[in-house]
Amino acid sequence: MPVLCQKISMLDSSGVVFLQLGAMAALALYVAANLGANDVANSMGTSVGSKALTLRQAIIVAGILEFSGAVLFGQGVSETLATGVVNADVFSTQPQVFLIGMVSVLIACGIWLQIATSRGLPVSSSHAVVGAIAGFSCVAAGINAVNWGTIGTISLTWVATPIASGALAALFYSVVKYSILDRPDPLSQMREWIPWLSAAMLSVFGIIVLPSVVDVALVQTGAIALAHDRFGWNLPTHDIVIGIGSIGAIVLTLNSWKKLESVEKEEGRRKKEEGSSATDSVTDVRKKEEGRSTNTNYPTLPLSPSPTLPPSETPKLRHSLIEQQMARFQVLSACFVAFSHGSNDVGNAVAPLAAIAYIRRTGSFPSEDFSVPLWILVVGGAGIVIGLAIWGKNVIATVGEKIIELQPSGGFCAELATATTVLLASRFGLPVSTSHALVGAVVGVGLIKAWKTVRLETLLSIGSAWLVTIPIAAGLGAIIFSIAQSIGQF
């Protein structure tokens, strides 16, 4: 009988733990949904604003790629934000307090991200998580529980990230504008620049995505080791990445040339049709005026000058054709950004849940090398897709349309600058925000394109949201932690 009672007690205990983890997973799903609604504008906002994609198409494409990136390549999130923002020595002896704090972080981040998303403001989920962790840590163990050096570094990126991204976007758009768009024959210039645009895009995005793909697909599966054992091939990972990127750039170049050639043929056919119809209309006008001049019932009038034939290609039409070609580059660049965003930023939503699950499983403070389980990555990826589908249109509209009206050429340059900035910052180990980078890039394009059309009121709203994210998240985290701690241990 005592054995039976012990088993029932164990079942009850495991059932309680399961329900608690289920509740925390639902909370993390809520945070991921708000993150998806807000942050996915980083990859798709400019594509929608430039009309390269419709809002529905952007949601579908981003949903697939964000989920794939989060689930397939999000395992690299092994060091959570908690290990960098808090003093591990302070919480190592009280893991249950840290658990309550991470629950508070999830609630605080979810609330603030939803408020920002409902108002269409692109904020940084990383900063929200950092602010909430700092807030509860100060209440739980004093100001010494926070790593203020990390907070200071993150604060500096607020200024550096948009400036760097804006400068790069301005540089990229200046090259496109003066080398292609403003030339007398932009189609011919576009043909010459297609290989360079392809190489630039795949070199930047390939460095972000391809190393993770090669590592998972070839290194972790043992394919490279098998090739070495059977054939004696020594295939360095970076050479494989360069080879795949080069092949991709060549294929993209050839395909773009083919598309451009078909467009030119279509325009040539249209030009002939317009020319023949214009000639017929000139002949008809001549006959009518000659008939009037020989008619005795009317005074003889001088023949009017011949109507001007329509130009073979107006600048507006030529630019429209160029933008059609640039739209293909922009859509592809948006796909790369969405995939890399899903693989990198999913940790903002699921890292607290991973820490909670670790404490529940081991009863100790998470070590620096603990990994995120696959089921937690699935929760994060699903939440990102749900939030994007339900609320994502608000922030996408702000980034893509309310700062400045974009065309595909400008949107492509903004996304290329955003990815370059984030990549360089990652190489130097600097925590940056893709939201800050993209907004800065859009402004950079606007300053070159037509600086008077940049909507300052939108920038002021976005800047205000950036400035208040950490203090608001910190306040919410502190308040929620105090309430939760007063109620009791979870």
Side-chain angles (χ1 to χ4, degrees), residues 161 208 344 417-427 430 432-434 437:
T161 300
I208 296 176
N344 292 329
T418 299
T420 303
T421 302
V422 174
L423 173 63
L424 291 175
S426 299
R427 290 299 182 189
L430 297 175
V432 298
S433 168
T434 48

Side-chain angles (χ1 to χ4, degrees), residues 119 251 262 272 406 471 476:
R119 299 180 64 86
V251 171
S262 64
K272 291 182 180 179
L406 285 173
L476 287 173

Side-chain angles (χ1 to χ4, degrees), residues 190-272:
M190 183 67 184
R191 186 184 298 105
E192 295 181 6
W193 274 89
I194 279 177
W196 297 103
L197 294 176
S198 302
M201 183 177 63
L202 290 195
S203 62
V204 171
F205 296 115
I207 293 174
I208 296 176
V209 178
L210 284 181
S212 298
V213 175
V214 172
D215 181 68
V216 173
L218 299 180
V219 177
Q220 296 185 17
T221 59
I224 293 181
L226 181 63
H228 182 270
D229 293 339
R230 287 195 174 183
F231 307 104
W233 296 345
N234 187 13
L235 301 175
T237 303
H238 61 273
D239 287 350
I240 297 176
V241 171
I242 294 174
I244 294 175
S246 301
I247 294 173
I250 293 172
V251 171
L252 180 59
T253 298
L254 295 177
N255 183 64
S256 299
W257 274 340
K258 184 177 180 180
K259 294 288 186 182
L260 186 61
E261 183 180 357
S262 64
V263 168
E264 290 177 329
K265 289 181 179 179
E266 179 66 21
E267 287 308 304
R269 184 186 61 80
R270 183 194 57 78
K271 173 182 172 182
K272 291 182 180 179

